[in-house]
Each structure stands twice: as structure tokens, then as C-alpha cells.
């Protein structure tokens, strides 16, 4: 833990040095285990543009995840339905996932974390094993009280590699179904444990 | 009746079945034959037991008594990404990319 904190502090303090680890411009690391993964960009067969990759370091065993994240203000997307899409492929991947989250305001000034208004990360359908280039979508609503939108992709489980290109964030019509997301039910569910 | 009683009975019957006046060597052959049968019968269960033991040993060597390791539970990634970037103060940063992450993430400008 101390090692990770020390590495993170060094990377933040020595900004340009972070370029050595191959993170593309405009993107940040995400995930508690991002140090266990390699990041970079390359031109590969089948990619329509330069593709970004996340590769698990073979000498390290981890169940954690490492990813690339970008967060933006939500002000240009208020009241809209958003689709974050990318083409992805995987090589012997344990779990590659595209994700997006819409956050609302903080519940207390300077205190509690922002309220999550929408979130989906393909946790129910991750990319595993060897897969060819294929488009994946995450669709969420950005309510009027949205403050930030974060999105990206990650590799979890510490095996293989995952690639992504043609990332796009766009507003779509309400006819596009929203990705199943983690939302609180409106009432108690299965209190008797009979299902 | 025990096994030995049976064997004695066989020997006695061989003695009695010998015709009177038979040469001694004929009687000896019959007695020896009965004694040989007695040894053979005694060897059969011992051989069967040894064969069973050998089979058990061979089986145990071929299938070591190890239980397969339990399959690890599938990795639950449903919350991965739920807390990423939450420490950002987007009001202080005019546009993406953002710099600081929530869980010790590094950043590149």
C-alpha cells in the first residue's frame, strides 16, 4: 500500500514523468491496482485509429483493476441521454470493461462524496478471453442536477490485455435504452430471503 | 468345524479310502496328494488377500488422495469505477482532462 501511495505521489508531483508509463494525453489512471498494469497506445491490425491498451503485468498477480478515466463537467449534457461507446478487443483478458458514471452534487458542502445518478460498467457482461474488435455501448441519462460525467475502460483480474479505439461520447435519443445500472429500489426487496 | 478339522477329515478319508493291502507307496501318494490339496486350499485365500492388497496399493498410487482446489468465486467487478474520480473538483478545472484521482491514481497532462 505504501509503495502504491509513494508511486502515486511521485507521478502527481513529477507530471511529465508519467508520460513514461504510456498514458495517452487527456487520460488518467484509475483503479486501486493501476500500477499492476501497463498502459499505452499503438497501431494494431483492425483498429481504425490509434488504439489504447491496458495490459496486465505478467509477473504480478492481482484481482484489482487498472484503467483509463476521463471526467468532464456535465453542463453541456444536462437533461440528455448519453452514449459512451468504443470498439474493443481483448487478448486472454480476465475482464475488460467499458464504463460511465454520472454524478450529482455533493450532499454536504465539502464533505460527502457526490451522489451517483447513473452508473454502468459492463459488470454483468465483461469482455473475457480472446475477442476481436467489437463495439460496446454504455447509455446513461444525465439529469438536470448532474455535475460530472466520468467514463473510461479498465482491465480487472490481472490477466491478459484489453484494447480500445474510436471512443465517443454523444447525446442520443430517448429511444435508445439505458444500460442497466445500479439503482436503489423504491422499496424493500426479498426481506424473507425466499428467492 | 474349523479349517484344520476339514483338512484332518480329508487326510483321514484318504487313509480310509486306501484299499486294504495296498502297497505303502500307493497310500503315501494318496496322503501326499491330500496334503498338497490342503496346502493349495490354504494358499488360495492368502493369495486372494495379497492380490486385493496389491490392487489397493496400485489404485492408491494411481489416484493420489488430493481434493481439487475449490474454484475461486468469479471476480465481482460490478462496482469497479463507481468511486473513480470522485475527488475531482471540476469547478476548479475548466475542462477535461482532470488531474487528481480518488484512489491514488496518477495523471498525465
Amino acid at each position: 500500500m505504501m509503495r502504491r501511495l509513494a508511486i502515486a505521489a511521485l507521478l502527481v508531483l513529477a507530471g511529465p514523468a508519467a508520460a513514461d508509463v504510456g498514458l495517452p494525453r487527456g487520460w488518467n489512471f484509475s483503479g486501486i491496482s493501476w500500477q499492476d498494469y501497463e498502459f499505452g497506445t499503438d497501431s494494431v491490425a483492425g483498429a481504425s485509429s490509434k488504439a489504447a491498451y491496458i495490459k496486465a503485468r505478467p509477473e504480478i498477480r492481482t484481482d484489482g483493476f487498472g484503467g483509463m478515466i476521463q471526467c468532464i463537467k456535465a453542463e453541456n449534457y444536462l437533461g440528455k441521454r448519453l452514449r459512451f461507446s468504443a470498439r474493443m478487443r481483448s487478448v486472454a483478458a480476465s475482464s475488460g470493461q467499458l464504463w460511465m458514471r454520472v454524478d450529482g452534487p455533493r450532499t454536504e458542502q465539502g464533505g460527502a462524496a457526490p451522489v451517483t445518478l447513473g452508473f454502468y460498467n459492463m459488470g454483468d457482461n465483461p469482455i473475457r478471453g480472446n475477442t476481436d474488435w467489437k463495439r460496446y455501448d454504455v447509455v446513461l441519462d444525465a439529469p438536470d442536477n448532474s455535475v460530472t460525467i466520468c467514463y473510461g475502460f479498465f482491465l480487472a483480474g490481472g490477466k491478459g490485455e484489453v484494447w480500445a479505439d474510436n471512443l465517443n461520447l454523444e447525446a442520443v435519443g430517448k429511444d435508445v435504452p439505458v444500460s442497466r445500472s445500479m439503482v436503489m429500489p423504491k422499496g424493500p426487496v426479498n426481506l424473507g430471503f425466499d428467492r | 468345524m474349523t479349517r484344520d478339522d476339514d483338512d484332518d477329515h480329508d487326510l483321514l478319508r484318504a487313509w480310509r479310502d486306501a484299499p486294504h493291502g495296498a502297497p505303502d507307496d500307493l497310500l503315501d501318494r494318496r496322503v501326499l496328494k491330500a496334503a498338497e490339496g490342503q496346502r493349495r486350499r490354504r494358499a488360495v485365500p492368502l493369495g486372494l488377500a495379497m492380490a486385493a492388497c496389491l490392487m489397493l496399493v496400485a489404485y492408491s498410487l494411481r489416484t493420489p488422495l488430493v481434493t481439487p482446489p475449490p474454484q475461486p468465486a468469479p471476480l465481482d467487478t460490478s462496482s469497479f469505477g463507481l468511486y473513480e474520480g470522485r475527488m475531482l473538483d471540476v469547478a476548479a478545472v475548466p475542462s477535461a482532462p482532470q488531474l487528481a484521482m480518488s484512489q491514488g491514481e496518477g495523471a498525465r497532462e
Side-chain angles (χ1 to χ4, degrees):
Chain A
M1 187 63 183
M2 291 301 294
R3 182 179 67 88
R4 288 177 175 168
L5 288 175
I7 293 174
L10 283 173
L11 286 170
V12 170
L13 291 174
D20 296 339
V21 295
L23 201 63
R25 186 174 187 275
W27 289 89
N28 297 293
F29 299 114
S30 67
I32 191 68
S33 303
W34 66 265
Q35 298 97 330
D36 299 335
Y37 297 87
E38 298 175 6
F39 302 83
T41 58
D42 202 352
S43 299
V44 295
S48 55
S49 61
K50 207 168 190 181
Y53 63 79
I54 304 169
K55 298 179 181 178
R57 297 183 188 276
E59 72 277 11
I60 294 177
R61 293 184 62 185
T62 178
D63 283 336
F65 72 106
M68 294 165 53
I69 182 178
Q70 205 170 87
C71 291
I72 61 172
K73 294 179 182 179
E75 57 192 27
N76 292 333
Y77 300 97
L78 297 182
K80 296 179 180 176
R81 181 163 292 180
L82 302 178
R83 176 168 60 202
F84 177 51
S85 61
R87 291 195 333 138
M88 300 177 73
R89 68 182 282 262
S90 62
V91 180
S94 41
S95 187
Q97 296 168 231
L98 190 74
W99 68 277
M100 179 166 63
R101 193 185 71 240
V102 178
D103 285 340
R106 297 175 188 275
T107 53
E108 300 172 14
Q109 188 172 5
V115 176
T116 298
L117 302 176
F119 173 68
Y120 182 72
N121 73 349
M122 291 177 61
D124 58 336
N125 190 27
I127 304 169
R128 290 195 171 118
N130 298 313
T131 61
D132 203 354
W133 289 104
K134 181 184 174 183
R135 174 177 160 154
Y136 297 87
D137 296 342
V138 177
V139 179
L140 295 175
D141 284 325
D144 291 337
N145 61 338
S146 302
V147 176
T148 60
I149 302 167
C150 294
Y151 46 85
F153 70 104
F154 62 78
L155 177 61
K159 292 187 179 69
E161 54 192 71
V162 63
W163 293 71
D165 78 345
N166 276 15
L167 278 65
N168 189 35
L169 180 67
E170 61 185 340
V172 295
K174 297 294 184 183
D175 56 321
V176 178
V178 173
S179 302
R180 194 180 73 180
S181 55
M182 293 175 63
V183 292
M184 287 189 184
K186 294 181 178 178
V189 175
N190 194 25
L191 299 182
F193 310 120
D194 52 357
R195 292 198 301 271
Chain B
M1 183 177 285
T2 64
R3 180 74 249 174
D4 290 340
D5 291 337
D6 278 341
D7 295 338
D8 291 343
H9 179 75
D10 290 343
L11 289 172
L12 183 62
R13 189 174 59 188
W15 173 264
R16 283 177 177 168
D17 289 348
H20 294 289
D24 288 345
D25 58 344
L26 177 60
L27 184 59
D28 288 345
R29 278 203 300 275
R30 293 192 174 203
V31 170
L32 288 173
K33 186 176 179 182
E36 178 67 23
Q38 173 189 348
R39 281 197 299 271
R40 198 175 296 129
R41 283 192 297 276
R42 283 183 174 172
V44 167
L46 182 61
L48 289 176
M50 288 178 64
C53 286
L54 286 173
M55 287 178 63
L56 286 173
V57 169
Y59 180 77
S60 65
L61 290 177
R62 285 171 58 92
T63 57
L65 296 176
V66 290
T67 56
Q71 291 292 325
L75 182 62
D76 181 9
T77 62
S78 59
S79 65
F80 289 3
L82 191 56
Y83 304 103
E84 304 304 298
R86 280 179 173 270
M87 299 305 289
L88 292 171
D89 182 3
V90 293
V93 183
S95 63
Q98 311 299 336
L99 299 182
M101 295 291 103
S102 63
Q103 297 177 347
E105 297 90 332
R108 183 193 171 194
E109 290 186 87

